[in-house]
Amino acid sequence: MATNEETQLDNKVLMTPETQPNDELMTPETQTNDVMITPDAQPNDVMMTPETQPNDGMMTPEIQPNDVMMTPEKQPNDGMITPETQPNDGMMTSETELNDGMITPETQPNEVMNTSETPVNDVLTTSETQLNNEVALMESLPNNELVIADTQPNSHLSVQEMYPDNELAIQEIHPNNELSFPETQPGNMPAITQPNNEVTSQETQPNKRRKKKSIVWEYFTIETVSAGCRRACCKQCKQSFAYSTGSKVAGTSHLKRHIAKGTCPGLLRNQGNNQLTPYTPRMGGSEPPKRRYRSPSVPYISFDQDRCRHEIARMIIMHNYPLHMVEHPGFITFVKNLQPRFDKVSFNTVQGDCVATYLREKQSLMTFIEGIPGRFCLTLDLWTSSQSLGYVFITGHFVDSEWRLQKRTLNVMMEPYPDSDSAFSHAVAACLSDWSLEGKLFSLTFSHPLSEGGLEQLRALLCIKNNLVLNGQLLLRNCIARTFSSMAKVVLEAGQGIVKKIRDSVKYVKISESHEEKFLELKQQLQVPSEKSLSIDDQTKWDTTYQMLVAASELKEVFSCLDTSDPDYKEAPSMEDWKLVETLSAFLKPLFDSANILTTTTSPTAIIFFHEAWKIHSDLTRSVTNEDPFVIDVTKAMLEKIDIYWKDCCFALAIAVVMDPRFKMKLVEFSFTKLYGEDAPAYIKIVDDGVHELFEEYVTLPLPLTPTYTEEGNTGVNVMSEESQGGGFLSDNGLTDFDMYIMETTSQQTKSELDQYLDESLLPRVHDFDVLGWWKLNKLKYPMLSKMARDILSIPVSSVTVDSVFDTVNKEMDQYRSSLRPETMEALICAKDWFQYSSSEVSNALVKMEV
């Protein structure tokens, strides 16, 4: 029998779980002196666990030397006590009673030191046990028998590596009940003295019990109710559950459900305090093998009702879900099954959450806008509703401090009288006040032409709220997308008869599967090379009608053959009809190509559409001389539409071209010469004078710096403190007259930044040239001109969204959004637009300084 740490080992060896019985045994790293010392222990004729100090006793890690062995956090009491036990001259786990010995969880006291599951007598345990005149192995069994952890049947032992000085490491079992000692050294072998001299291997021992490894025992204790009856008690809520009655064991599945399914009241209370931690093996024992069954091994995440409400609000905003969905029975049932503790929210609650989310995003956007160094351009798009109400969508366009073109939906305002002259002026005034943009407005673009009365009211408003740039020549403009749509409607209305005939023919083929198969079979037989496929058009989108006409025109031979082979196919287009289809397609093609740029280009600029508008205008001007009366009538109607746009927007488009170092004034001169002929010099002079006048305004009346933004001064000299300027002399206002003298004497001799820029040679026309990036690189060379270029290049050409570029009807607010309060509708629409930019605004909202 193995004694405690003060007992001398006399021909008896203390044995770890891997040792084998055969009256002679030592662990692989024992030291001499015929005793066994666990790994890393010091040779002092005693057994010590790893990291203990040599004090003639065995101690577990981190305990104090008191000639006893104690587990962490226990007080010395002449015995070893595991965590959660009370000192009582012995070591016991959290669920056992103290009986002058160590009893691990779920075992009964027997004045012995036992492992986690087996009641043993006079046996040896590992580092979780206590030394109290008796020692037991980790997985030993009753009847004074020793369990060998890794043995093979037949209770045979094998020694693989021998150490000098009568030490032996045992690893494998060999048959014939003998110990094999390869590489042994001569000498006496230490003997194992177990009671009854019995050794039993793990696989041959009958009625073997395994150590409890389930995580549930971190949350439950075993209590003895009566003889032969034990119950599992929850540490959190103290509820009692069946465990064993006699030889019948209830298992642990019901215990897992109690702690894993969120039904334990004590567990739920402790989640908020983060009292639950993942399971970790007890100190002193080896980590248990991986469990093959599922267990709640992940830490619990506390439930947060407010966070869930916030995420529901974001979900509704991002995906345009109706606010009433939170009251739908299907949604309520789904959420209750997902999280039973989630409290149902009402329509009013989620409406408030969405508005609160909008206000948070708006505050972030306002901080971002405060750091924008240049001016802002606004676009206004008017939507209607079935209640004859109007909704003005206002979008801000600007170049940020990193010289990137940006846009944000700033407001969605309900106008009860959208046809009144004051509708747009009210919306603009509210937007300027709401976002503190007074004095920073550069341009306005409208989706619908304004009446004369509306123009006058808007001009009067801007004279008060905003400094007019070039007397307002850049403020009022038309939308290029709406112009293209109006021209396309002219074409389709002129050919509506043939368009309907083509639509009916395509519909005949597409609505029947057998008709379509026959049509494709004919196409293959005729070997028509067209790759176009037929599709019925959406009459609210003119591009779909154009694509339908083009596809049908390329497949006209198949339609002609179908007319002769299918008696049910009637009213097939004639050859004259197909010629008219080709004429309509020719009118629509340049419009489609130009408008498609708005949907495929990330940031379509005025530079691109100066050339597009000029080209369309030139083509229509030449078409007026055509001899076909139909062509002449359609051309004149289209030319009237493009003339209105060109006269209103030509100047703004032209100065944008001047700010492109690939074109400057040269492209303006070339285009105007082609368009105006002998009158071209007068129009060229208007653009040249306007650019110089605008530059003088930037020199004399620079834009005030924003509170969060600091940049170089008007003359291109960086802002410097008085100390860096050399004291008060250079910063003295008395030198103002000197500055005026310099300007007067050098103004006639030195070219301005604008003239220097215009005199330099053009840059090569490379693909995907970044105009804003070029000005960013040259802002030190042209400090004032670069500011003017930044504002000019932010002028938008379209006021509609990408999905509305080809619309032939006015955009209409749906019935659901029209039923909401105007503030709620604005919050939902604006916040959705801001979500896609919220992650990139943080860095730009900081205070910046340009050098």
Side-chain angles (χ1 to χ4, degrees):
M1 175 176 182
T3 63
N4 58 19
E5 67 274 7
E6 296 179 356
T7 308
Q8 299 295 329
L9 301 178
D10 202 5
N11 292 327
K12 297 179 181 180
V13 181
L14 185 132
M15 200 165 122
T16 58
E18 282 96 9
T19 58
Q20 305 300 327
N22 216 354
D23 298 333
E24 294 178 347
L25 178 63
M26 291 195 69
T27 55
E29 296 180 354
T30 54
Q31 305 297 324
T32 57
N33 295 329
D34 295 327
V35 295
M36 170 187 157
I37 304 176
T38 57
D40 301 325
Q42 303 300 324
N44 273 327
D45 297 323
V46 293
M47 171 182 172
M48 299 174 60
T49 58
E51 302 178 16
T52 56
Q53 304 298 325
N55 247 342
D56 298 322
M58 171 180 169
M59 299 190 299
T60 58
E62 302 178 9
I63 63 172
Q64 303 299 325
N66 278 323
D67 296 323
V68 293
M69 175 178 176
M70 300 192 305
T71 57
E73 304 176 6
K74 296 304 164 185
Q75 303 300 326
N77 228 351
D78 298 329
M80 174 176 174
I81 308 174
T82 59
E84 304 176 356
T85 59
Q86 303 299 324
N88 198 13
D89 296 325
M91 171 180 172
M92 295 181 64
T93 58
S94 56
E95 294 85 3
T96 58
E97 298 179 0
L98 308 176
N99 277 323
D100 297 326
M102 171 183 170
I103 307 178
T104 56
E106 297 92 26
T107 59
Q108 301 301 323
N110 248 336
E111 295 185 356
V112 294
M113 178 174 173
N114 199 355
T115 60
S116 59
E117 214 171 357
T118 56
V120 298
N121 290 319
D122 303 323
V123 291
L124 176 65
T125 64
T126 57
S127 58
E128 287 186 85
T129 61
Q130 301 301 324
L131 300 181
N132 198 14
N133 299 326
E134 296 175 355
V135 183
L137 278 176
M138 178 182 294
E139 295 186 354
S140 57
L141 297 173
N143 301 324
N144 303 324
E145 297 175 350
L146 179 65
V147 178
I148 310 301
D150 295 318
T151 61
Q152 302 297 326
N154 300 326
S155 303
H156 299 264
L157 298 180
S158 172
V159 180
Q160 183 174 0
E161 296 181 0
M162 297 303 302
Y163 292 84
D165 298 328
N166 302 325
E167 296 176 356
L168 178 62
I170 302 176
Q171 183 164 355
E172 297 181 356
I173 305 303
H174 291 273
N176 301 326
N177 297 321
E178 295 179 357
L179 288 177
S180 175
F181 304 103
E183 303 180 4
T184 57
Q185 303 294 331
N188 296 327
M189 302 304 297
I192 300 175
T193 56
Q194 295 296 333
N196 301 330
N197 293 323
E198 295 179 359
V199 177
T200 306
S201 70
Q202 185 177 12
E203 297 186 4
T204 58
Q205 174 64 31
N207 300 326
K208 173 186 173 295
R209 294 184 182 178
R210 297 180 58 189
K211 179 182 178 181
K212 284 181 168 47
K213 299 174 182 177
S214 175
I215 195 174
V216 300
W217 301 118
E218 293 294 315
Y219 305 94
F220 288 89
T221 60
I222 299 298
E223 295 182 350
T224 302
V225 178
S226 61
C229 179
R230 293 186 296 170
R231 294 183 66 83
C233 180
C234 178
K235 298 179 182 179
Q236 302 291 336
C237 64
K238 306 305 180 183
Q239 294 186 42
S240 179
F241 299 87
Y243 178 64
S244 66
T245 303
S247 61
K248 183 179 180 180
V249 180
T252 60
S253 297
H254 61 304
L255 307 181
K256 294 177 186 177
R257 289 192 294 269
H258 179 68
I259 64 173
K261 300 298 182 181
T263 58
C264 176
L267 198 61
L268 297 177
R269 287 195 301 269
N270 293 335
Q271 285 180 5
N273 299 326
N274 295 324
Q275 294 182 3
L276 295 178
T277 56
Y279 170 76
T280 54
R282 287 188 179 91
M283 182 186 65
S286 60
E287 185 174 352
K290 292 184 178 179
R291 295 176 290 274
R292 296 183 180 179
Y293 51 84
R294 290 180 295 177
S295 63
S297 58
V298 296
Y300 291 93
I301 300 176
S302 60
F303 170 71
D304 190 337
Q305 173 81 11
D306 293 336
R307 186 182 70 243
C308 291
R309 283 175 47 187
H310 173 69
E311 292 302 326
I312 287 179
R314 286 183 60 91
M315 176 189 69
I316 289 175
I317 293 172
M318 291 173 61
H319 303 289
N320 295 328
Y321 294 146
L323 295 173
H324 292 87
M325 69 172 293
V326 296
E327 297 179 345
H328 294 170
F331 179 79
I332 295 174
T333 303
F334 168 73
V335 173
K336 282 297 182 183
N337 281 276
L338 195 65
Q339 176 49 260
R341 290 189 293 150
F342 180 76
D343 296 331
K344 182 179 72 173
V345 293
S346 64
F347 168 84
N348 291 332
T349 300
V350 75
Q351 179 178 237
D353 292 341
C354 290
V355 173
T357 301
Y358 157 77
L359 293 176
R360 285 193 298 268
E361 295 293 327
K362 182 177 182 180
Q363 185 60 43
S364 175
L365 180 58
M366 291 187 71
T367 304
F368 174 64
I369 287 179
E370 288 176 358
I372 301 303
R375 288 180 167 88
F376 288 76
C377 299
L378 300 181
T379 58
L380 286 81
D381 188 19
L382 180 63
W383 290 29
T384 60
S385 69
S386 58
Q387 292 89 7
S388 70
L389 298 174
Y391 297 90
V392 180
F393 284 66
I394 303 180
T395 304
H397 301 256
F398 52 91
V399 175
D400 63 16
S401 56
E402 299 297 329
W403 292 82
R404 294 172 299 191
L405 190 60
Q406 304 272 5
K407 66 177 181 179
R408 300 290 187 278
T409 302
L410 300 180
N411 295 100
V412 180
M413 300 180 181
M414 186 189 74
E415 289 294 334
Y417 307 101
D419 297 329
S420 65
D421 294 338
S422 60
F424 283 108
S425 59
H426 287 166
V428 172
C431 179
L432 294 178
S433 176
D434 190 19
W435 295 92
S436 302
L437 297 180
E438 292 91 344
K440 301 187 68 176
L441 182 61
F442 188 73
S443 171
L444 283 174
T445 303
F446 298 92
S447 61
H448 295 75
L450 272 67
S451 63
E452 290 297 328
L455 288 174
E456 291 300 326
Q457 289 201 20
L458 191 56
R459 289 182 186 276
L461 167 70
L462 296 177
C463 288
I464 301 174
K465 295 287 186 178
N466 196 84
N467 296 327
L468 294 179
V469 180
L470 285 180
N471 296 321
Q473 295 184 60
L474 299 175
L475 286 176
L476 307 177
R477 301 176 56 251
N478 288 330
C479 173
I480 189 68
R482 294 299 188 191
T483 301
F484 289 156
S485 294
S486 64
M487 296 172 67
K489 287 174 64 177
V490 169
V491 177
L492 296 177
E493 288 174 0
Q496 59 182 347
I498 185 58
V499 171
K500 182 180 184 304
K501 184 178 288 189
I502 297 298
R503 183 181 298 119
D504 291 341
S505 296
V506 173
K507 191 181 300 183
Y508 176 83
V509 174
K510 296 296 292 184
I511 62 176
S512 173
E513 185 177 350
S514 61
H515 293 171
E516 187 171 11
E517 290 178 356
K518 187 173 184 179
F519 185 87
L520 295 175
E521 182 180 349
L522 291 174
K523 177 186 175 182
Q524 187 175 3
Q525 292 176 359
L526 296 173
Q527 296 182 355
V528 177
S530 175
E531 298 295 332
K532 301 288 186 180
S533 59
L534 295 178
S535 60
I536 305 174
D537 66 327
D538 178 0
Q539 298 183 47
T540 64
K541 302 279 189 181
W542 65 266
D543 63 316
T544 62
T545 305
Y546 164 72
Q547 291 171 340
M548 180 187 71
L549 294 177
V550 172
S553 180
E554 293 186 5
L555 297 170
K556 60 185 177 182
E557 296 179 2
V558 184
F559 279 105
S560 299
C561 186
L562 184 66
D563 182 29
T564 59
S565 61
D566 189 350
D568 295 331
Y569 176 55
K570 301 176 181 180
E571 298 184 0
S574 63
M575 294 304 297
E576 294 296 326
D577 292 335
W578 288 118
K579 289 181 180 179
L580 185 57
V581 169
E582 292 177 359
T583 301
L584 296 178
S585 300
F587 276 121
L588 294 174
K589 185 180 188 308
L591 300 179
F592 174 80
D593 293 340
S594 298
N596 201 45
I597 298 175
L598 296 171
T599 63
T600 57
T601 305
T602 306
S603 301
T605 62
I607 300 172
I608 298 175
F609 284 92
F610 172 83
H611 183 69
E612 295 295 326
W614 166 79
K615 183 174 62 175
I616 293 175
H617 194 287
S618 299
D619 293 342
L620 291 175
T621 302
R622 289 192 299 269
S623 298
V624 173
T625 60
N626 194 290
E627 298 179 356
D628 189 342
F630 177 81
V631 173
I632 294 174
D633 293 340
V634 174
T635 300
K636 288 182 178 179
M638 295 177 67
L639 193 58
E640 182 181 351
K641 299 289 185 182
I642 195 65
D643 266 337
I644 295 174
Y645 179 82
W646 184 257
K647 291 177 181 178
D648 186 48
C649 305
C650 173
F651 178 74
L653 298 178
I655 63 172
V657 171
V658 175
M659 292 296 102
D660 191 328
R662 298 173 298 172
F663 304 118
K664 300 183 182 179
M665 285 295 298
K666 297 300 182 181
L667 182 58
V668 176
E669 295 170 359
F670 170 80
S671 302
F672 283 8
T673 301
K674 292 286 186 180
L675 187 61
Y676 297 112
E678 296 178 356
D679 298 330
Y683 290 99
I684 295 172
K685 188 176 186 303
I686 292 174
V687 176
D688 186 70
D689 292 344
V691 172
H692 282 82
E693 183 180 348
L694 181 60
F695 179 73
E696 292 299 326
E697 289 189 18
Y698 271 79
V699 173
T700 57
L701 297 174
L703 182 68
L705 297 180
T706 57
T708 60
Y709 190 88
T710 305
E711 61 179 359
E712 64 269 19
N714 295 336
T715 61
V717 180
N718 293 340
V719 176
M720 303 173 67
S721 63
E722 292 187 1
E723 292 78 2
S724 62
Q725 292 173 345
F729 173 73
L730 294 180
S731 60
D732 187 4
N733 292 331
L735 294 178
T736 303
D737 294 339
F738 173 75
D739 296 334
M740 294 298 296
Y741 170 76
I742 294 297
M743 294 178 62
E744 293 174 358
T745 56
T746 59
S747 60
Q748 303 298 326
Q749 303 173 5
T750 306
K751 290 183 178 181
S752 66
E753 294 178 18
L754 178 59
D755 291 331
Q756 293 178 29
Y757 164 76
L758 294 176
D759 289 342
E760 292 181 353
S761 59
L762 301 180
L763 294 181
R765 293 193 306 275
V766 297
H767 185 63
D768 293 335
F769 177 73
D770 185 4
V771 179
L772 288 173
W774 186 90
W775 281 105
K776 179 182 179 181
L777 295 175
N778 290 272
K779 64 184 177 180
L780 295 181
K781 183 178 181 180
Y782 306 110
M784 190 54 59
L785 186 61
S786 63
K787 296 179 182 181
M788 186 177 80
R790 176 175 54 202
D791 294 338
I792 291 174
L793 295 175
S794 67
I795 296 176
V797 294
S798 175
S799 61
V800 300
T801 56
V802 173
D803 61 337
S804 301
V805 169
F806 297 100
D807 286 353
T808 57
V809 295
N810 293 333
K811 206 73 174 178
E812 184 172 317
M813 190 70 69
D814 59 76
Q815 188 70 29
Y816 162 68
R817 287 183 174 177
S818 300
S819 65
L820 300 175
R821 294 185 306 173
E823 298 82 3
T824 303
M825 178 201 61
E826 181 181 43
L828 295 175
I829 296 175
C830 292
K832 179 184 179 181
D833 178 70
W834 300 342
F835 279 161
Q836 57 183 321
Y837 306 106
S838 57
S839 60
S840 62
E841 289 178 358
V842 178
S843 60
N844 289 285
L846 303 176
V847 176
K848 294 182 178 293
M849 176 178 292
E850 287 193 354
V851 294

